[in-house]
Amino acid sequence: MTAENGKKKAFRLNAVKPVTNAWLSVLFGLLSFMCIFPFFYVFMISVSSEQSIRQSGYAIWPSEFSGAAYRFLWNEHDTILHSLLISVLVTVIGTVLGVLLTTSLGYVLSRSGFRLKGLFTWMTFIPMIFSGGMVANYVVVANLLGLSNTIWALILPLSLSSFNAIICKTFFKTTIPDSLIESAKIDGATQLVIFSRIVIPISKPVFATIALFLTFGYWNDWFQSSLYISDSSLISLQALLNNMMKNLDYIANNPSAGLSLQQYRNSMPSESVRMAIAVVIIIPIACAYPFFQKYFISGLTVGAVKG
Amino acid sequence: MSKTAINQPGAIRFKSRKRWTRDDTELTLLGLPSAIWYFVFSYLPMFGLIIAFKNYKIVPGKGFLYSLFHSDWAGFSNFTFFLKSNTFSLLLRNTLVYNLVFIILGIVFPVSLAILISQLYSKKASKVYQTLMFFPYFMSWVVVSYFVYAFLNPDKGLANNVLSALGLDTVRWYSEPKYWPFILTFMQVWKSLGYSMVVYLASITGIDESWYEAAMLDGATKWQQARYIILPTLKPIIVMMFILNVGHIFYSDFGLFYQVTQGIPNSLTNVASTFDTYIYMALQSNVSIGKTAAAGLFQSVACCVTVLAANYIVSKVDEENAII
């Protein structure tokens, strides 16, 4: 207790002046505000009535509130829920597959006695400095493997990355004692058993980190969809959001477009609906990330360790 | 007993050079799925770049590979077409200049803010600020493009509402190129600021408190402490980030340039197109895939050269901090 007090006192002595502290609080308060204000603003637009949007544009505090956008989304819940299902499916399958691939590779790379270690290390390293790029990937995934308009086009290309594999390798190398592996081997365990029964249970932090990287990556992905998916039954939430923006613009820019579309558009609170979908996508992430953010940092700092 | 036998140098050489053990088989099997993934999704595309040297034509009724092998060789004509076109110099300028600005701001802002936030009295408040500033990092560019749209919508957006309330002329934001270099730079900084700041902060909090105490006893000011204690601690991470970013200087964040501008309208082509948006738009249009692949290959090769060069220069200046 006294030691802690002493430490605190020393810290106080070295601290900035109270005025500086106040200015810093203001600065970071402003920056924090700037970072979350857009979300608040978009939410406010989503609960504005069409009438108030027509009158005063997107207001920070609308003159009239309305749940019409969310009611509209609820009426369209088949589409929304289907997209949600695709998003969840891609995220879950992708994360499980990705974690298995990444960690098994990381483990193999971390075994110093392994004969093919050099080969595997180069295999992981080369893609970090040279890649085929967007066109070549597209050609392989769409033309060669024929994965266009399948769920695998959304999952497979993103499941492994050299960066994540190296994070795992560094983690295993620094936290799992060789003697543990050796003694398990003497007991007759195969490497697969060692990996699944010993390595996985004691390496939960790195599994959590990789799983979170992948979860957010898959949940936020719209790019794979825009390249490979044209089938409307495979549209994820992000892709839906992406298409919403384009479709409404398309109608707005072409007044001569089909009347039925125009009528459909009139029936929906178009401005607020767009923002309501954005809110629906943001909410799960906004609720989840404060609990997971530390893993993102630990992952990066572990990966930064050389070797 | 058996352990000492393994630890003898002779035994190690025998183990690692001569005999393929059961252990090796098992590890190979464990790594095999990843190896297959790398082969299909990383190495096959590298061979796929062959298409850049072809006049790819679809042979009706045949598969992709058949068409590829029966297309005529184009030599370097796809490359000369791309390199000589007017767009090339534009793309080069945009990609490099934006990236240079992003790299510099991406180091200066987060590092200085990390130093500043570490000085706050209340650790709890600091945590709250960090969490709030981290928020944009988790948003996809599609979502961010909605944020921007809410502000810049010409008829209803906040920016024009404020301008007209002040009695100023409103701006057709999405057709005025002169504002976009600033908007794009701002959005890039906005999205990555919190994340990078927290990364640097993680190593600042790792600094032993006694270093500051010793420095303080010697009469070091806050400024000197930052200069001689904090910055040297951060140097390895800064250098690593720098190499990684310089290595990617020919790549651009596709989402930023494409989504935030609402798909790059014609009026913004000059300020918002980069190699990636050009390649993406060419893929979606009917530009021949060979020419598009040539642009992609140019980008990959340029990136490879820059990352090796950046690492080489760093290794000459400061061997410890090179990453390769």
Side-chain angles (χ1 to χ4, degrees):
Chain A
M1 201 66 191
T2 43
E4 211 165 77
N5 277 345
K7 225 178 183 178
K8 238 179 194 165
K9 214 175 232 170
F11 174 73
R12 271 282 146 74
L13 272 176
N14 191 30
V16 292
K17 289 191 215 77
V19 185
T20 320
N21 184 58
W23 278 114
L24 286 179
S25 302
V26 172
L27 171 70
F28 283 104
L30 272 176
L31 286 170
S32 305
F33 175 77
M34 267 169 58
C35 286
I36 52 158
F37 174 70
F39 172 58
F40 170 79
Y41 185 41
V42 161
F43 176 75
M44 277 310 183
I45 299 170
S46 78
V47 294
S48 305
S49 72
E50 281 295 283
Q51 180 65 23
S52 80
I53 290 180
R54 220 168 315 164
Q55 261 171 15
S56 49
Y58 300 153
I60 298 172
W61 198 263
S63 52
E64 189 190 356
F65 286 90
S66 156
Y70 292 93
R71 268 198 300 281
F72 181 84
L73 287 189
W74 181 249
N75 288 336
E76 298 286 307
H77 63 260
D78 281 350
T79 323
I80 306 285
L81 285 180
H82 190 79
S83 295
L84 180 70
L85 181 74
I86 298 289
S87 281
V88 170
L89 211 60
V90 166
T91 306
V92 170
I93 300 177
T95 305
V96 171
L97 189 70
V99 165
L100 288 178
L101 285 176
T102 314
T103 51
S104 61
L105 177 62
Y107 177 72
V108 169
L109 291 176
S110 74
R111 296 293 90 216
S112 49
F114 181 37
R115 279 279 301 263
L116 296 182
K117 191 183 165 220
L119 179 71
F120 274 87
T121 307
W122 277 103
M123 175 188 88
T124 314
F125 177 67
I126 290 173
M128 288 180 90
I129 50 171
F130 187 82
S131 81
M134 197 193 298
V135 187
N137 284 330
Y138 177 84
V139 165
V140 166
V141 173
N143 295 345
L144 206 58
L145 302 175
L147 293 180
S148 295
N149 284 322
T150 66
I151 201 167
W152 300 108
L154 301 176
I155 294 176
L156 291 176
L158 300 181
S159 50
L160 190 54
S161 87
S162 299
F163 185 74
N164 288 351
I166 287 173
I167 289 178
C168 284
K169 174 207 157 181
T170 314
F171 183 89
F172 293 143
K173 195 136 205 165
T174 48
T175 56
I176 298 180
D178 275 344
S179 55
L180 187 68
I181 310 262
E182 286 302 323
S183 63
K185 262 195 285 195
I186 290 165
D187 290 344
T190 61
Q191 288 289 350
L192 186 64
V193 172
I194 294 175
F195 179 66
S196 56
R197 297 277 169 77
I198 299 175
V199 175
I200 293 183
I202 62 173
S203 308
K204 279 182 191 137
V206 80
F207 276 77
T209 304
I210 301 297
L212 282 166
F213 279 161
L214 289 165
T215 304
F216 280 96
Y218 279 115
W219 181 262
N220 275 340
D221 179 65
W222 47 271
F223 184 65
Q224 303 292 327
S225 289
S226 79
L227 275 184
Y228 302 119
I229 304 293
S230 52
D231 182 350
S232 59
S233 67
L234 286 170
I235 294 288
S236 65
L237 272 183
Q238 297 276 350
L240 181 73
L241 190 69
N242 193 10
N243 293 348
M244 282 285 295
M245 183 68 97
K246 286 202 186 104
N247 283 344
L248 286 178
D249 275 6
Y250 172 78
I251 297 165
N253 291 338
N254 299 276
S256 59
L259 203 76
S260 57
L261 273 174
Q262 191 67 42
Q263 279 163 345
Y264 179 74
R265 196 196 167 196
N266 287 343
S267 75
M268 75 191 236
S270 51
E271 295 296 341
S272 47
V273 156
R274 248 206 280 249
M275 300 304 174
I277 295 190
V279 170
V280 168
I281 290 183
I282 298 168
I283 293 275
I285 307 178
C287 294
Y289 89 89
F291 302 100
F292 299 132
Q293 106 198 51
K294 67 167 189 249
Y295 289 106
F296 280 80
I297 304 306
S298 65
L300 201 93
T301 40
V302 167
V305 178
K306 204 172 152 183
Chain B
M1 276 306 268
S2 62
K3 223 173 184 184
T4 47
I6 288 172
N7 281 343
Q8 274 161 17
I12 285 174
R13 197 183 311 139
F14 176 71
K15 197 177 167 225
S16 63
R17 292 255 175 94
K18 292 229 173 97
R19 205 177 46 171
W20 177 270
T21 61
R22 206 190 65 175
D23 218 35
D24 291 325
T25 314
E26 288 164 9
L27 284 172
T28 310
L29 286 176
L30 199 53
L32 197 60
S34 308
I36 293 171
W37 186 93
Y38 267 108
F39 176 74
V40 174
F41 292 100
S42 263
Y43 291 98
L44 222 48
M46 291 184 198
F47 294 109
L49 286 170
I50 237 181
I51 207 169
F53 300 95
K54 288 269 195 176
N55 274 326
Y56 179 71
K57 279 199 185 68
I58 298 167
V59 182
K62 298 284 185 181
F64 169 75
L65 277 180
Y66 183 91
S67 307
L68 180 62
F69 287 121
H70 286 78
S71 300
D72 299 330
W73 286 100
F76 284 91
S77 69
N78 286 333
F79 291 90
T80 45
F81 173 83
F82 175 61
L83 295 175
K84 277 184 185 159
S85 69
N86 291 333
T87 39
F88 175 72
S89 54
L90 176 79
L91 299 175
L92 189 69
R93 181 200 73 181
N94 282 354
T95 312
L96 292 186
V97 173
Y98 275 119
N99 270 324
L100 273 179
V101 174
F102 293 169
I103 291 172
I104 294 167
L105 297 183
I107 290 173
V108 173
F109 283 145
V111 168
S112 29
L113 287 175
I115 295 176
L116 291 178
I117 204 171
S118 71
Q119 307 297 328
L120 280 177
Y121 288 178
S122 161
K123 294 300 152 209
K124 220 173 228 163
S126 155
K127 273 271 174 318
V128 173
Y129 294 139
Q130 285 170 47
T131 303
L132 293 177
M133 289 173 70
F134 217 134
F135 176 74
Y137 177 77
F138 293 105
M139 298 295 108
S140 72
W141 280 116
V142 175
V143 172
V144 174
S145 79
Y146 274 67
F147 290 166
V148 175
Y149 182 77
F151 283 88
L152 299 187
N153 183 317
D155 306 317
K156 312 179 188 73
L158 188 63
N160 277 352
N161 285 354
V162 171
L163 284 179
S164 59
L166 294 173
L168 297 168
D169 287 340
T170 57
V171 177
R172 315 287 307 171
W173 294 101
Y174 287 101
S175 40
E176 279 285 354
K178 64 183 169 193
Y179 300 110
W180 281 89
F182 303 101
I183 297 173
L184 290 170
T185 308
F186 181 84
M187 291 322 293
Q188 165 71 20
V189 171
W190 176 82
K191 194 164 186 289
S192 60
L193 185 65
Y195 174 71
S196 325
M197 181 187 83
V198 177
V199 167
Y200 289 115
L201 185 62
S203 29
I204 293 180
T205 41
I207 297 174
D208 194 337
E209 203 66 47
S210 60
W211 287 21
Y212 296 121
E213 285 163 23
M216 202 181 53
L217 288 178
D218 288 343
T221 60
K222 271 281 152 196
W223 177 251
Q224 285 168 325
Q225 288 177 26
R227 171 77 183 76
Y228 296 105
I229 298 176
I230 299 179
L231 279 184
T233 312
L234 295 181
K235 198 172 142 202
I237 308 184
I238 296 178
V239 170
M240 188 190 74
M241 292 287 195
F242 182 76
I243 299 177
L244 288 177
N245 290 332
V246 168
H248 285 100
I249 201 161
F250 282 92
Y251 277 114
S252 59
D253 197 334
F254 173 76
L256 168 66
F257 293 97
Y258 190 79
Q259 294 292 353
V260 174
T261 56
Q262 304 291 346
I264 312 191
N266 283 335
S267 50
L268 302 184
T269 307
N270 282 339
V271 290
S273 29
T274 63
F275 286 119
D276 295 270
T277 64
Y278 172 82
I279 292 168
Y280 178 83
M281 287 161 118
L283 257 184
Q284 308 284 8
S285 69
N286 46 17
V287 175
S288 94
I289 199 159
K291 291 193 172 64
T292 316
L297 181 55
F298 168 81
Q299 196 189 22
S300 297
V301 171
C303 264
C304 182
V305 171
T306 46
V307 73
L308 292 176
N311 189 70
Y312 176 78
I313 292 166
V314 169
S315 72
K316 283 288 153 202
V317 178
D318 182 0
E319 192 150 357
E320 262 175 55
N321 287 322
I323 53 171
I324 299 172

